[in-house]
Amino acid sequence: MRKYIYYIAAFAALILSSCSEMMNDALDAEVVAPIKVAYKIDIKNFTAPDGSAATAPADWYSNLEVVFNNFSEGIETNVKVGADGVAMAEVIPGIYNITVRSTQKYNGKSYIINGLAQNVALTEAVTSPSDKYAISIQPLLGSPLCIREMYYAGSLGGYFRDQFYEVYNNGEEVVYLDHICLAHLVPEYATTSLPEWPAEDGVDKYAYAVTLWQIKGDGDDYPLQPGESIVIAQEAADHTKIETWAGFGIVDTSKVEWECWAGNEQRINEEVPDLPYVFWSGYINKMQWLTSVDGSAMALYQPGQNLEFGSDYWQLGVTTQKKVGSGGQQYVRIPVGDIFDAVECIPTSADLDMKRIPGILDSGATSVDGYYNGKSVSRKVIDYREDGTPIFQDTNNSTDDFEVFDSPVIRRHDVKRPAWSPWAE
Amino acid sequence: MRNIKYRFASLALAATLLATAASAQTDGSSQQSIERKKMESLWFSNTNNAAGAQLDNMGYYSQLGINYNHTDGDFQRTQLGTNNNGYGFSTDGGGQFENLKGAFMWGYFNYSHDKIHGARYNASLIDPLRGMPFYLADTNTSNWIHQSYELGMKAATPILGKHWILGVGVDYQNMQGAKQIDPRPNVQMSKFVVTPSVVYTVSKHAIGAHYTYSSRREDGTATNSISLMTQPVWEVVAPGFYNTAEIGSGSFSGLRAYNANAMGGGLQYSFIGEKIKFLLSGEYTFAVEDVNNNYTTPKIIGTTKENTWDVKANLMWSINPKHSLFAEVEYYDRSIDGIEYVQVWDNTYEVSQWIVISKNIRSNFSTLRTTAKVDYMKNRGNSYSWLAGIELQKEKLSDIYYLPRSTQDVENLYFTAHVKKNFFFGKNAILVGVNGGVKKNQSGEHTYSGNYADSDIYKNMVLRDFRYLQENALMWGAELGYTRSGLFNSRSSLFINVKYNHVAPNDGDGKAHFDNYSALVIKAGLTF
């Protein structure tokens, strides 16, 4: 009899031990309570318009608002920064994107004050400022050049050859497009598993690109006047008349300024100039160059010179970089100060934990919420110039700066075409 | 799949043979005699202590049947569909085996196949109302196909050393649920329960104890068969609280892998006299269930911690050989904590995994239920000629999401009555039964502080379910059965039974929010 009881007890003990860890973990949990968090905002490395080092004016801080955004729970908490540069917020424990953004004037020039601390775990009270809970901001001179519209999602049926990127002069002065590169940033596909880069690159000092397409010129070949835009297409063609297994496209990109021709002899459009790729990491898909219909991160990068594919310009640790722990594959290493504009696109609006580029460039992200839905992201109009051309919102926060349209339109809102365009009337 | 079916068919055959093997007794068997036998077997029917079944002296029985069922109407929870039908096969039987020195053995096998029509807001769970707040909900109204196999047994030794009885119960269930419209998971569920038990008996008194361990797994991945279209879903963590995502877009995983372990135990006391049988039993279960979204790089979506208390007292009074009275009172208390995690992705090359930074109880779902019921039985042979009873139940459902604080409380009172009459005509018998009842809402309050008050799922599921829960209702039903005994031998009988139940909302303001709900069950089979 006693033997049976021992057997039962031993059996029970075996089972008990196998699931006791899981049960103890659950027993440890306590009922949630709000926590107070002190977050330090620090404006550093400020360079005056004349290139000299300067100190950020104290009143810049008083104009700053910090946004604690818990995207997974849809909770946004806004707090003002105190004179000591500290923002105090009461939040629910969770993962937060903490953003600061503002546009400030200094000696008549506009500076973008943009900072982002991404995927920060706030789980305990933070009563005093610390380096761990701080955002360091480097003010950037506002750039007139911006990506005005991106159509990347493809259309119903799965057609994606009509992707395009429209680049716009949002400023008041002419901008020369010579040497400007359209950079396809890493990772190509949005993911929460962001790559690890070498520690010597620091935090938020570089962005990394998998492909660069460059507008080559002598420095003054391609002036872009305020209110004008150029369009770079994946493949310049009237896609509304091209039928594939995926049906027809929805955009006519046959009259754009450049196309990103990758080498497919079947898809040559001699009427539209090719934009050469000057860097392509990994396998070169000569069939076509395309970006993720789920949304990529794109940037306008000014290296200040014409680049050549495979030249000595590309030096590991200088102009290129490798991921930690990966093989030998290299990517373009781009200083954030050389980027005129960057736009982060993510699969859905809820996927902000997949952001991949430094917040100083884009503290938010935009999305068409899905793919093959024919939708397009376009900057919001905030004003018009006297000549009727629009001024678009550009606060380096794509969440706010962009709106989603049901269909893409080239040169929406009466944007002008440059006089040197092959298609200028 | 085919192998699994063969395996289950073999097990079903074994269970049926076990059931029929126990049929070597002289009294005739019928559905009603089995019903009476189970009502009189207090340990067997009201506890999970298999050893206690030895004290019931229930003799033998076995039955097998096939059934068809159909429900119609939207007066039920949103996720359950509106027009469902199914069929099944079931068998159970056993008892005390004299050739095993009086050991008790009993087994069962059930198979069911159901088609759920018009279910909404569920893309993860076979049973969306089982108390699991972490699931995927989608926007598409869809059918589900459910298929379930379950089998189990109870066994008990004869009385050992004049006082001791050892027993064990084993249950296993395998179930599949397949959603029929994108995003569509094929959910697999399996559950295993083992319940060793012991009873110590002295004269008319007995005390018992049992321990329960159960393991439950359920997983399925919501995917799109039309890959060129993404499907929006809500990653629900509590009613009205969710994260939005797109199936087929980005790296979002449509997987929900549920892993539950439960342990518990119960204590029992019984007095079995000549005319009185009394049983007092209490059971406690502690269950923890983790929900993950990935097998290789798991991110824990949430955990539920469930505490359940169930205390019951049963009385059977054999007034005289022709009349019996049954009484039961029960207190049931279930509390489910919903635990959510704060996690960060450690992208260190050598590690690359989700790290849990903290966890908190974010929600609680509580059910309190008190039930009292009395049944009168006029006996006839080993069956009954009349069975009538009333039942009163008070139920309180309380949900809370702590931050941002949102609550829902609903308290309802149920009163039901039933009466059944068996008409005997030689070897033929006809059963006629009617039942009726009323559901009366005592109170109901819903407050919501979340950010999604305008969302489809909040308006059309959360608020709709709240209205359903606090809706008054009238219930009635009828039952008609035919039994032909002595079919193969003096014990066997054939039966066919039809049950119909109807529930109608009965709102005081005269504005019914729902249509009616009706359920039809047709069952035919054999008893031995």
Side-chain angles (χ1 to χ4, degrees):
Chain A
M1 184 64 223
R2 194 169 292 169
K3 188 170 66 178
Y4 292 119
I5 294 173
Y6 287 152
Y7 287 157
I8 291 170
F11 180 66
L14 183 69
I15 292 170
L16 192 72
S17 62
S18 68
C19 59
S20 61
E21 184 182 345
M22 180 178 170
M23 292 186 166
N24 285 335
D25 278 352
L27 286 168
D28 286 345
E30 295 178 350
V31 173
V32 67
I35 52 173
K36 287 192 172 177
V37 174
Y39 225 91
K40 174 77 176 167
I41 308 301
D42 204 3
I43 301 176
K44 287 181 174 175
N45 304 323
F46 174 45
T47 306
D50 61 3
S52 63
T55 303
D59 63 341
W60 281 14
Y61 286 99
S62 58
N63 295 328
L64 293 180
E65 186 177 71
V66 180
V67 181
F68 293 77
N69 217 324
N70 182 333
F71 292 107
S72 66
E73 301 193 35
I75 299 170
E76 185 176 294
T77 306
N78 300 293
V79 291
K80 287 279 186 187
V81 176
D84 56 353
V86 176
M88 285 293 298
E90 186 174 86
V91 297
I92 297 170
I95 299 292
Y96 286 81
N97 276 11
I98 300 151
T99 54
V100 186
R101 68 169 192 278
S102 175
T103 303
Q104 303 289 344
K105 291 281 185 184
Y106 188 88
N107 289 351
K109 294 286 184 182
S110 284
Y111 279 83
I112 293 175
I113 313 294
N114 240 6
L116 166 70
Q118 189 177 351
N119 295 334
V120 179
L122 298 177
T123 58
E124 294 174 341
V126 181
T127 52
S128 57
S130 71
D131 290 343
K132 184 179 177 186
Y133 298 101
I135 297 178
S136 186
I137 300 171
Q138 178 186 356
L140 291 181
L141 268 171
S143 163
L145 213 55
C146 66
I147 296 174
R148 193 204 64 76
E149 179 147 351
M150 281 172 58
Y151 172 61
Y152 61 85
S155 52
L156 196 62
Y159 195 99
F160 49 69
R161 284 163 55 183
D162 45 0
Q163 293 177 324
F164 72 83
Y165 310 86
E166 185 176 334
V167 180
Y168 183 72
N169 184 349
N170 205 32
E172 300 301 325
E173 297 171 357
V174 64
V175 177
Y176 291 94
L177 298 177
D178 305 62
H179 312 145
I180 287 283
C181 296
L182 179 66
H184 185 194
L185 300 182
V186 179
E188 299 158 80
Y189 306 98
T191 173
T192 53
S193 310
L194 295 176
E196 183 183 359
W197 300 101
E200 59 265 28
D201 279 11
V203 178
D204 290 354
K205 291 185 176 175
Y206 296 92
Y208 305 89
V210 63
T211 319
L212 285 188
W213 300 87
Q214 188 176 44
I215 301 171
K216 295 201 176 184
D218 293 334
D220 56 2
D221 292 350
Y222 300 108
L224 194 65
Q225 301 295 334
E228 292 181 347
S229 76
I230 57 102
V231 177
I232 300 170
Q234 180 207 119
E235 177 189 342
D238 185 354
H239 297 277
T240 63
K241 295 184 171 60
I242 297 176
E243 186 176 19
T244 68
W245 61 270
F248 290 94
I250 60 172
V251 189
D252 176 2
T253 59
S254 61
K255 291 180 169 52
V256 299
E257 279 63 47
W258 283 284
E259 67 170 337
C260 298
W261 186 71
N264 187 343
E265 299 293 341
Q266 308 296 319
R267 297 185 189 171
I268 295 176
N269 184 341
E270 292 180 349
E271 294 183 326
V272 175
D274 296 334
L275 208 60
Y277 57 83
V278 293
F279 190 94
W280 193 317
S281 177
Y283 171 71
I284 297 174
N285 181 5
K286 290 188 180 293
M287 170 73 81
Q288 64 201 338
W289 172 73
L290 75 157
T291 62
S292 169
V293 291
D294 254 345
S296 291
M298 307 299 294
L300 300 176
Y301 163 44
Q302 176 53 281
Q305 59 182 296
N306 288 328
L307 307 177
E308 294 297 332
F309 180 81
S311 71
D312 292 341
Y313 172 82
W314 305 109
Q315 297 289 325
L316 180 63
V318 182
T319 54
T320 68
Q321 192 54 280
K322 292 193 298 185
K323 296 175 187 174
V324 174
S326 67
Q329 187 166 356
Q330 297 179 30
Y331 302 90
V332 186
R333 182 176 185 252
I334 307 175
V336 294
D338 294 340
I339 290 179
F340 279 6
D341 189 33
V343 178
E344 171 103 43
C345 298
I346 50 179
T348 74
S349 307
D351 291 328
L352 270 151
D353 56 349
M354 296 182 179
K355 261 191 67 62
R356 64 206 117 180
I357 60 175
I360 192 171
L361 298 173
D362 186 353
S363 58
T366 185
S367 176
V368 297
D369 287 312
Y371 54 75
Y372 296 140
N373 54 20
K375 293 183 179 179
S376 174
V377 296
S378 175
R379 279 191 193 275
K380 296 173 184 170
V381 176
I382 54 171
D383 205 352
Y384 285 90
R385 298 183 183 86
E386 287 182 358
D387 65 356
T389 56
I391 299 172
F392 293 98
Q393 182 169 314
D394 186 6
T395 64
N396 283 8
N397 183 331
S398 296
T399 306
D400 291 342
D401 293 347
F402 280 81
E403 57 189 326
V404 177
F405 284 89
D406 285 340
S407 57
V409 173
I410 290 174
R411 295 196 174 83
R412 198 189 294 272
H413 306 300
D414 297 328
V415 167
K416 291 180 179 175
R417 191 196 299 268
W420 46 262
S421 168
W423 310 103
E425 294 173 355
Chain B
M1 184 67 198
R2 185 171 292 178
N3 286 339
I4 291 172
K5 283 185 176 174
Y6 285 143
R7 207 172 299 160
F8 275 105
S10 307
L11 290 167
L13 184 62
T16 306
L17 290 174
L18 175 66
T20 53
S23 62
Q25 72 176 48
T26 54
D27 295 338
S29 177
S30 67
Q31 261 203 313
Q32 287 71 47
S33 72
I34 293 170
E35 183 182 4
R36 175 179 165 184
K37 199 182 288 287
K38 286 184 177 177
M39 287 179 73
E40 292 174 345
S41 302
L42 300 187
W43 282 84
F44 177 83
S45 299
N46 296 292
T47 76
N48 288 315
N49 187 321
Q54 188 66 270
L55 300 174
D56 288 328
N57 289 316
M58 68 188 289
Y60 312 120
Y61 81 88
S62 59
Q63 61 178 337
L64 59 92
I66 55 172
N67 67 278
Y68 167 80
N69 53 68
H70 176 78
T71 67
D72 195 13
D74 75 343
F75 189 41
Q76 60 174 345
R77 297 285 289 268
T78 314
Q79 294 170 309
L80 294 183
T82 56
N83 179 7
N84 309 330
N85 51 49
Y87 56 87
F89 167 83
S90 61
T91 180
D92 66 297
Q96 285 159 313
F97 287 74
E98 289 174 11
N99 51 357
L100 293 175
K101 299 179 180 178
F104 175 86
M105 288 190 73
W106 172 88
Y108 70 93
F109 173 81
N110 298 321
Y111 165 77
S112 66
H113 184 283
D114 295 286
K115 188 160 188 180
I116 316 295
H117 293 263
R120 303 184 67 190
Y121 305 112
N122 174 28
S124 295
L125 294 165
I126 292 177
D127 176 7
L129 301 183
R130 67 177 174 84
M132 169 47 65
F134 304 103
Y135 62 93
L136 296 178
D138 65 315
T139 56
N140 299 326
T141 301
S142 176
N143 297 345
W144 278 78
I145 293 177
H146 290 170
Q147 186 163 263
S148 169
Y149 307 86
E150 56 181 327
L151 70 161
M153 52 84 72
K154 288 182 179 183
T157 64
I159 296 177
L160 305 170
K162 296 184 180 177
H163 296 293
W164 293 94
I165 307 169
L166 299 178
V168 66
V170 178
D171 299 271
Y172 177 75
Q173 184 180 17
N174 187 288
M175 199 167 178
Q176 297 169 24
K179 189 166 175 281
Q180 303 294 299
I181 288 179
D182 285 354
R184 57 185 91 197
N186 182 5
V187 184
Q188 309 285 326
M189 189 282 282
S190 63
K191 183 179 181 182
F192 172 75
V193 185
V194 59
T195 315
S197 55
V198 62
V199 164
Y200 181 81
T201 176
V202 180
S203 181
K204 295 175 181 176
H205 304 272
I207 55 171
H210 73 267
Y211 166 80
T212 301
Y213 169 76
S214 71
S215 170
R216 188 181 191 286
R217 302 285 186 273
E218 179 173 4
D219 58 1
T221 303
T223 57
N224 297 332
S225 59
I226 302 170
S227 61
L228 295 178
M229 285 181 68
T230 59
Q231 294 288 345
V233 291
W234 297 281
E235 294 184 276
V236 179
V237 296
F241 294 89
Y242 56 78
N243 188 19
T244 55
E246 294 271 338
I247 298 283
S249 185
S251 58
F252 177 72
S253 161
L255 172 70
R256 285 295 178 272
Y258 302 88
N259 174 19
N261 283 295
M263 286 193 291
L267 295 172
Q268 302 85 26
Y269 164 77
S270 78
F271 170 84
I272 300 177
E274 284 191 11
K275 289 196 170 184
I276 295 289
K277 281 185 177 179
F278 173 73
L279 173 69
L280 179 65
S281 58
E283 182 163 8
Y284 169 72
T285 309
F286 179 65
V288 174
E289 183 162 13
D290 286 340
V291 189
N292 283 293
N293 72 345
N294 198 299
Y295 294 119
T296 53
T297 51
K299 181 182 185 183
I300 189 161
I301 300 298
T303 295
T304 58
K305 181 179 70 175
E306 179 179 332
N307 288 281
T308 306
W309 288 95
D310 192 359
V311 181
K312 202 189 275 190
N314 292 86
L315 176 73
M316 177 191 160
W317 178 23
S318 300
I319 302 166
N320 59 46
K322 285 195 170 181
H323 303 279
S324 301
L325 203 61
F326 299 84
E328 177 181 308
V329 290
E330 181 179 14
Y331 171 79
Y332 175 85
D333 181 349
R334 184 179 77 165
S335 173
I336 301 173
D337 284 331
I339 299 171
E340 294 177 37
Y341 294 80
V342 177
Q343 294 161 96
V344 293
W345 174 253
D346 182 349
N347 69 344
T348 309
Y349 176 66
E350 294 83 359
V351 181
S352 297
Q353 63 179 356
W354 287 100
I355 306 289
V356 173
I357 303 295
S358 75
K359 56 178 179 282
N360 285 111
I361 297 170
R362 298 293 302 267
S363 56
N364 180 269
F365 310 92
S366 161
T367 303
L368 276 179
R369 196 179 296 139
T370 310
T371 309
K373 57 184 176 184
V374 176
D375 281 289
Y376 161 76
M377 181 183 285
K378 185 177 181 184
N379 305 323
R380 188 180 189 280
N382 65 349
S383 179
Y384 61 81
S385 60
W386 285 92
L387 177 63
I390 56 172
E391 179 175 333
L392 185 66
Q393 185 180 84
K394 186 176 183 180
E395 183 181 64
K396 183 176 183 184
L397 306 172
S398 304
D399 297 350
I400 183 168
Y401 197 75
Y402 291 105
L403 286 176
R405 191 175 181 85
S406 300
T407 60
Q408 178 173 294
D409 294 283
V410 179
E411 199 168 337
N412 288 316
L413 200 62
Y414 297 84
F415 176 76
T416 57
H418 63 91
V419 59
K420 288 198 275 190
K421 168 64 178 167
N422 238 337
F423 297 98
F424 295 93
F425 308 98
K427 290 185 174 181
N428 302 306
I430 291 176
L431 178 84
V432 178
V434 292
N435 65 72
V438 60
K439 173 193 169 192
K440 182 70 180 169
N441 179 249
Q442 303 296 292
S443 63
E445 186 179 16
H446 177 92
T447 60
Y448 179 68
S449 306
N451 295 321
Y452 307 116
D454 294 328
S455 69
D456 177 20
I457 189 172
Y458 178 74
K459 289 188 290 189
N460 296 321
M461 189 187 92
V462 179
L463 287 183
R464 182 190 179 280
D465 280 359
F466 172 63
R467 281 200 300 272
Y468 164 77
L469 290 171
Q470 63 166 2
E471 188 93 353
N472 294 329
L474 293 173
M475 299 163 271
W476 61 267
E479 180 178 0
L480 184 65
Y482 168 74
T483 303
R484 168 76 181 181
S485 57
L487 194 64
F488 304 116
N489 55 44
S490 61
R491 277 193 49 76
S492 61
S493 64
L494 176 144
F495 69 87
I496 181 163
N497 190 288
V498 180
K499 283 183 188 174
Y500 177 79
N501 280 294
H502 188 86
V503 185
N506 182 32
D507 199 285
D509 62 7
K511 299 173 186 171
H513 297 108
F514 302 89
D515 292 334
N516 298 333
Y517 172 82
S518 57
L520 174 73
V521 179
I522 302 172
K523 186 171 183 180
L526 298 168
T527 61
F528 301 95

